[in-house]
Amino acid sequence: MTQRTARHRSRVMVLAPTPLLTVTVEAGGAGDEIHLHPGGQGVWVARLVASLGVDVVLCSSFGGETGTVIRSLLERWDIDVRAVSAAGGNGAYMHDRRSGERVPLAEMGAMARSRHEVDELYGVAFVAGLNADLVVLGGPETPGLTRGDVPDLVPLEVYTRMARDLRRNGTAVIADLCGPPLDAALEGGLDLLKISDEELAVTGEVKDATRPSLFEALRRLAARGAAAVVVTRGEQPTLALLEGRYYEVRGPSVDPVDQRGAGDSVTAGIAVALARGSSVQEAVRVGTAAGTLNVTRRGLASGSGREIELLVPHIEMVEVTA
């Protein structure tokens, strides 16, 4: 990607087919506190993109009582929401964090979208993507499933068509997916894929978490349609295959407060940097800084742009031999 002109206002579109409603019970000074937030991978990515100073469009479907609440809560955020109404409700979960740990209390799954609802969502997202510098593809969300499971909420071919149609018209597409949605997106082609070592293990892409196995997975994913591949590994250094070269990426050592949302922060940081015209190597450094900062905080995919910017020089990126 080329450097943007000073007059250009960068824009990212995030596809989040079925956002979640999250309810968290916290211990407060005067008693219990109950917090309601929009949630799910795509929402968390969009939130951090906006906080990093880049215009973001969130394309999603909303239905039922949960969908109504999610849309209302999103209005408080600096996000341009392109909403598609659905007959079926969105998913929701409730967590108890009064002990300091997350304890699931209740979960409600999302309902599948109809053919007409999917068509409308595709049209809204495609047009928004054409008017963006970069698109992030997030998966359908419903509580109680691991990333390797496939919630039958939207047809998988949506990901193939979206990736192919946008890239052939000049919009860069990155994905934070795994399992069948990822397979579908790779068929359409991706400029970059972010995935975790846990997701690779869950879906059978790797036999173990050793570096040779992970590097082999990077090569396979690149051969299947990803121009660049980034694999996060929790507290271990991130591995990346960028422009035919292998890298190990290290952030400062920190004592994590909450690991959840770190991967979404990495994706958001990469998306922002690429949308602004940075090299893919620099974008991965920005993403690693965002992910590192996230684990030092409570709150998924959170952190300020200024803090992330100051953290980037502390990210070490070393070319390695696979």
Side-chain angles (χ1 to χ4, degrees):
M1 294 187 180
T2 58
Q3 187 69 38
R4 307 295 179 191
T5 66
R7 294 183 178 180
H8 180 85
R9 178 75 177 180
S10 301
R11 180 182 296 267
V12 170
M13 187 275 276
V14 179
L15 176 65
T18 54
L20 303 174
L21 175 64
T22 73
V23 183
T24 306
V25 184
E26 301 269 7
D32 295 340
E33 297 178 355
I34 300 177
H35 302 277
L36 279 70
H37 294 288
Q41 173 200 33
V43 168
W44 293 321
V45 169
R47 178 187 182 187
L48 186 53
V49 169
S51 73
L52 294 178
V54 168
D55 291 342
V56 60
V57 179
L58 180 69
C59 296
S60 304
S61 64
F62 303 91
E65 294 178 346
T66 48
T68 299
V69 175
I70 296 168
R71 287 183 65 174
S72 176
L73 293 171
L74 282 170
E75 291 177 358
R76 304 177 184 178
W77 294 358
D78 189 19
I79 294 175
D80 180 2
V81 180
R82 307 290 173 85
V84 171
S85 296
N90 289 61
Y93 66 72
M94 178 181 292
H95 286 174
D96 185 346
R97 286 196 54 172
R98 287 172 292 186
S99 67
E101 301 293 330
R102 290 184 181 271
V103 179
L105 297 179
E107 297 174 340
M108 182 178 75
M111 297 184 68
R113 292 341 190 193
S114 71
R115 177 173 63 85
H116 295 296
E117 291 163 355
V118 170
D119 286 347
E120 185 176 356
L121 177 62
Y122 188 90
V124 166
F126 176 64
V127 172
L130 288 179
N131 289 283
D133 299 294
L134 180 139
V135 165
V136 179
L137 300 181
E141 300 272 3
T142 194
L145 295 180
T146 66
R147 291 290 303 278
D149 290 324
V150 188
D152 186 20
L153 303 179
V154 296
L156 294 175
E157 58 98 17
V158 164
Y159 292 96
T160 305
R161 292 172 53 211
M162 188 68 66
R164 181 180 294 140
D165 289 351
L166 289 173
R167 294 181 81 229
R168 66 164 49 131
N169 284 284
T171 301
V173 178
I174 71 175
D176 189 340
L177 300 166
C178 74
L182 171 58
D183 296 337
L186 286 171
E187 188 176 339
L190 297 170
D191 292 278
L192 183 142
L193 165 67
K194 199 287 293 181
I195 193 168
S196 73
D197 58 346
E198 291 181 351
E199 291 165 343
L200 290 172
V202 166
T203 56
E205 288 283 350
V206 292
K207 297 178 181 178
D208 52 53
T210 62
R211 283 166 54 102
S213 293
L214 291 170
F215 278 128
E216 178 58 33
L218 265 67
R219 285 190 287 270
R220 288 197 306 270
L221 291 166
R224 290 171 56 196
V229 186
V230 177
V231 177
T232 55
R233 301 192 294 157
E235 297 180 16
Q236 298 299 312
T238 291
L239 302 179
L241 174 55
L242 312 174
E243 299 177 335
R245 298 180 177 182
Y246 296 91
Y247 295 89
E248 186 174 271
V249 191
R250 296 176 177 271
S253 178
V254 298
D255 187 10
V257 174
D258 191 346
Q259 293 277 10
R260 297 179 75 241
D264 298 329
S265 296
V266 172
T267 300
I270 291 173
V272 164
L274 290 178
R276 287 174 168 163
S278 297
S279 69
V280 67
Q281 289 85 358
E282 181 64 14
V284 172
R285 293 180 71 224
V286 173
T288 303
T292 300
L293 184 62
N294 182 88
V295 302
T296 68
R297 308 163 60 98
R298 292 179 175 83
L300 304 183
S302 60
S304 77
R306 179 61 176 165
E307 291 167 329
I308 292 171
E309 180 183 347
L310 293 172
L311 190 56
V312 171
H314 298 276
I315 303 301
E316 181 182 12
M317 190 169 190
V318 179
E319 187 172 349
V320 297
T321 301

